[in-house]
Amino acid sequence: KHETVEGYRRYFSQIVGFFVVEDHILHVTQGLVTRTYTDELWNMALSKIIAVLRTHSSYCSDPDLVLELKNLIVVFADTLQGYGFPVNRLFDLLFEIRDQYNETLLKKWSGLFRDIFEADNYSPIPIANEEEYKIVISKFPFQDPELDKQSFPKKLPMSQSVPQIYIQVKEFIYASLKFSESLHRSSTEIDDMLRKSTNLLLTRTLSSCLQNLIKKPHIGLTELVQIIINTTHLEQACKYLEDFISNITNISQVSVHTARLYGLSTFKDARHAAEGEIYTKLNQKIDEFIQIADYDWTMSESDGRASGYLMDLINFLRSTFQVFTHLPGKVAQTACMSACQHLSTSLMQMLLDSELKQISMGAIQQFNLDVIQCEWFPPYYDDDDYYYYITHCAE
């Protein structure tokens, strides 16, 4: 990297030296060179310079190196502008390179986000004392009056990835700002640049990382519940990111030119994906229990109690539904109803299996005991729909 930067520096220095000499000859001699000659020479050289820089920058994947190149171009342009050479095309090129710089930043931050998600334990952040609490809220804008009333130790609802992601989004904004400096652009234009690049980070990079995380095989129901909680808090923090950008650029958010951050849609989409994955994984787990059901359809009499597989399934559902108490009401209710409906349908399919040729009265009684056990097991809330799904099977 150092050698590459030095190579660019020598390249620009040699060109500056040449045109400074040409400008000096123009001003201290008479008739040796003309302004028309130097202008034509500069325009020809500028086209070649731009072609070279455009090619080299397009292959650069290191954001720090792109930033170094930008700084050299700015010094180069400002120097030659001081000698009267037009440099608008160089600043137009910098806007092209800015897009390339943002792409390299997005790629870098994609890796940072993945590392953060991989290291997370997807458990609420434990807080032992006031000092630890202040450290966390200094990094992430969290407010909960009810939690403030609780004594230590206590737990924050989000997991450790939330403040880390928030910090990295702010770091990205700082990194994006570095390129906008010295481009001779207004505060409004810089504000717009920052918001657009941050929107790309949220809607493309972070969104993709979240979607990939949710689909990972090792992410279970407990982790999915925590991801839903996490995205809720990240969504609420978007307004603070808006303030953060406004404070940097001194552009009010109420300005007609101010673009909004699209983080709300990013986190809502991630939540919906996590919710759908919860329903899928829950039904898959029910299927695993159903697969080990081993009814003796010719038994002379029932065991007098519910089948072992069903009791294991109910214990699993009971513990799972307890985890769902941390979810928003509608999500928890839908998950529970989806599970109960799936269980009801699975039980019904057992009875309607085309390979089942005969059923003894004892088997019917045993199956009925299992259905009754399901009826005795309500979720953590009271809802008549649950009983509809199960009793529908019994009928």
Side-chain angles (χ1 to χ4, degrees):
K1 173 184 170 182
H2 176 72
E3 293 178 358
T4 303
V5 173
E6 286 303 312
Y8 282 130
R9 186 174 282 114
R10 286 194 299 271
Y11 175 73
F12 288 126
S13 296
Q14 290 168 357
I15 296 172
V16 168
F18 176 83
F19 281 99
V20 167
V21 170
E22 289 295 316
D23 183 76
H24 182 72
I25 294 173
L26 174 67
H27 286 88
V28 302
T29 65
Q30 291 184 348
L32 195 57
V33 297
T34 64
R35 171 55 69 182
T36 301
Y37 167 77
T38 56
D39 286 347
E40 289 177 354
L41 195 62
W42 167 245
N43 286 330
M44 181 184 68
L46 186 58
S47 295
K48 293 181 180 293
I49 293 167
I50 289 174
V52 168
L53 294 176
R54 183 178 283 130
T55 300
H56 280 243
S57 63
S58 66
Y59 290 112
C60 185
S61 59
D62 181 357
D64 294 334
L65 184 56
V66 177
L67 190 62
E68 290 272 13
L69 176 59
K70 168 256 173 181
N71 290 334
L72 288 173
I73 293 174
V74 169
V75 173
F76 174 71
D78 287 346
T79 301
L80 285 172
Q81 188 175 38
Y83 286 91
F85 294 100
V87 295
N88 288 342
R89 289 169 62 192
L90 281 173
F91 282 99
D92 291 339
L93 172 66
L94 283 173
F95 273 83
E96 293 181 33
I97 297 177
R98 182 201 65 191
D99 294 336
Q100 171 67 17
Y101 175 71
N102 281 335
E103 286 298 319
T104 61
L105 286 183
L106 291 172
K107 187 175 294 186
K108 177 180 178 180
W109 258 258
S110 177
L112 292 172
F113 288 153
R114 285 197 303 269
D115 291 343
I116 289 172
F117 288 139
E118 285 295 325
D120 198 359
N121 60 7
Y122 297 98
S123 299
I125 300 175
I127 303 294
N129 50 52
E130 182 74 23
E131 184 178 351
E132 289 186 5
Y133 182 68
K134 288 180 178 179
I135 290 174
V136 174
I137 63 174
S138 69
K139 299 176 181 177
F140 182 75
F142 175 76
Q143 296 176 341
D144 187 340
E146 292 301 317
L147 188 64
D148 289 342
K149 297 175 184 177
Q150 298 178 17
S151 58
F152 294 100
K154 52 189 173 184
K155 293 182 178 180
L156 301 183
M158 78 285 289
S159 65
Q160 63 187 8
S161 65
V162 172
Q164 292 172 351
I165 291 293
Y166 183 79
I167 290 170
Q168 284 305 323
V169 172
K170 291 173 69 175
E171 289 297 323
F172 175 88
I173 293 171
Y174 276 131
S176 184
L177 176 66
K178 287 180 181 178
F179 197 94
S180 302
E181 295 172 340
S182 306
L183 291 186
H184 311 306
R185 297 290 169 170
S186 68
S187 296
T188 301
E189 289 176 294
I190 293 175
D191 184 271
D192 187 58
M193 291 179 203
L194 288 181
R195 291 176 188 275
K196 285 180 177 178
S197 59
T198 305
N199 273 329
L200 277 177
L201 179 75
L202 295 175
T203 60
R204 197 173 83 187
T205 307
L206 182 54
S207 176
S208 176
C209 289
L210 281 169
Q211 296 290 341
N212 291 335
L213 171 69
I214 289 165
K215 295 294 183 181
K216 286 185 178 294
H218 71 276
I219 297 295
L221 291 168
T222 302
E223 288 81 7
L224 288 168
V225 169
Q226 187 62 58
I227 289 171
I228 290 175
I229 295 169
N230 287 353
T231 53
T232 300
H233 287 285
L234 285 170
E235 179 183 330
Q236 293 169 352
C238 278
K239 62 181 181 181
Y240 296 99
L241 291 174
E242 299 254 12
D243 294 339
F244 180 69
I245 295 175
S246 294
N247 290 336
I248 289 176
T249 60
N250 291 318
I251 298 296
S252 171
Q253 292 186 47
V254 298
S255 170
V256 68
H257 302 290
T258 303
R260 307 298 297 179
L261 295 186
Y262 303 140
L264 299 181
S265 61
T266 295
F267 300 122
K268 283 180 180 176
D269 290 345
R271 266 202 307 283
H272 290 156
E275 291 164 12
E277 199 67 18
I278 283 177
Y279 308 147
T280 300
K281 286 185 181 292
L282 195 52
N283 290 346
Q284 288 174 346
K285 196 66 179 179
I286 291 173
D287 289 340
E288 291 177 12
F289 282 101
I290 293 295
Q291 286 171 5
I292 62 174
D294 187 22
Y295 284 104
D296 179 3
W297 297 110
T298 62
M299 64 194 311
S300 57
E301 59 182 31
S302 69
D303 293 338
R305 61 181 182 277
S307 302
Y309 87 91
L310 189 75
M311 294 306 300
D312 291 340
L313 171 55
I314 286 177
N315 288 334
F316 163 75
L317 291 176
R318 182 177 286 113
S319 62
T320 301
F321 290 163
Q322 188 61 41
V323 174
F324 287 174
T325 58
H326 302 295
L327 288 172
K330 185 178 180 181
V331 179
Q333 181 177 347
T334 303
C336 292
M337 289 303 99
S338 172
C340 295
Q341 185 177 27
H342 188 72
L343 175 56
S344 171
T345 302
S346 299
L347 292 173
M348 180 76 78
Q349 288 174 346
M350 282 190 191
L351 289 178
L352 301 179
D353 189 345
S354 59
E355 296 183 4
L356 185 58
K357 304 303 181 183
Q358 62 178 0
I359 305 177
S360 66
M361 184 55 68
I364 289 290
Q365 291 172 347
Q366 180 63 45
F367 194 83
N368 188 52
L369 284 173
D370 291 345
V371 174
I372 290 172
Q373 187 64 49
C374 290
E375 291 178 302
W376 285 350
F377 168 64
Y380 65 88
Y381 58 87
D382 186 16
D383 195 311
D384 291 339
D385 287 346
Y386 170 84
Y387 299 102
Y388 166 78
Y389 289 130
I390 297 301
T391 55
H392 178 67
C393 174
E395 292 171 1

